[in-house]
Amino acid sequence: MFEASMYVCVCNSVTDKTIRKAVANGVRTFKQLQQETEVATCCGKCASCARGVMDEALEAQQPRQPMWNLALVPG
């Protein structure tokens, strides 16, 4: 099955897949993402979209805690 890519940074030809791959390879900050991919280093119009894709990728890496394992806090 073919999964389409979306260009996030047209100036530097950076796609959402490129950003997700960078996060999978250890990128944790936007500065690191810029150094790794050159996203948002030209005109900067893509910065908010690039941050959004990076945040989604970082969130996807977080293990989800099952509801039955959450501590109950008296209210």
Side-chain angles (χ1 to χ4, degrees), residues 9-68:
C9 177
V10 177
C11 295
N12 294 313
S13 300
V14 179
T15 65
D16 61 324
K17 281 186 178 181
T18 305
I19 293 171
R20 293 178 199 286
K21 185 176 180 181
V23 170
N25 289 331
V27 167
R28 294 294 174 263
T29 67
F30 192 68
K31 184 87 168 164
Q32 289 174 335
L33 183 66
Q34 287 181 302
Q35 291 170 341
E36 182 76 22
T37 67
E38 296 186 3
V39 71
T41 60
C42 192
C43 75
K45 291 182 180 179
C46 62
S48 65
C49 182
R51 285 179 191 271
V53 174
M54 184 184 81
D55 289 345
E56 286 175 7
L58 287 168
E59 187 176 306
Q61 288 187 342
Q62 298 297 320
R64 303 246 177 203
Q65 191 175 29
M67 291 294 288
W68 50 265

Side-chain angles (χ1 to χ4, degrees), residues 65 67 69-75:
Q65 191 175 29
M67 291 294 288
N69 198 20
L70 296 176
L72 296 177
V73 178

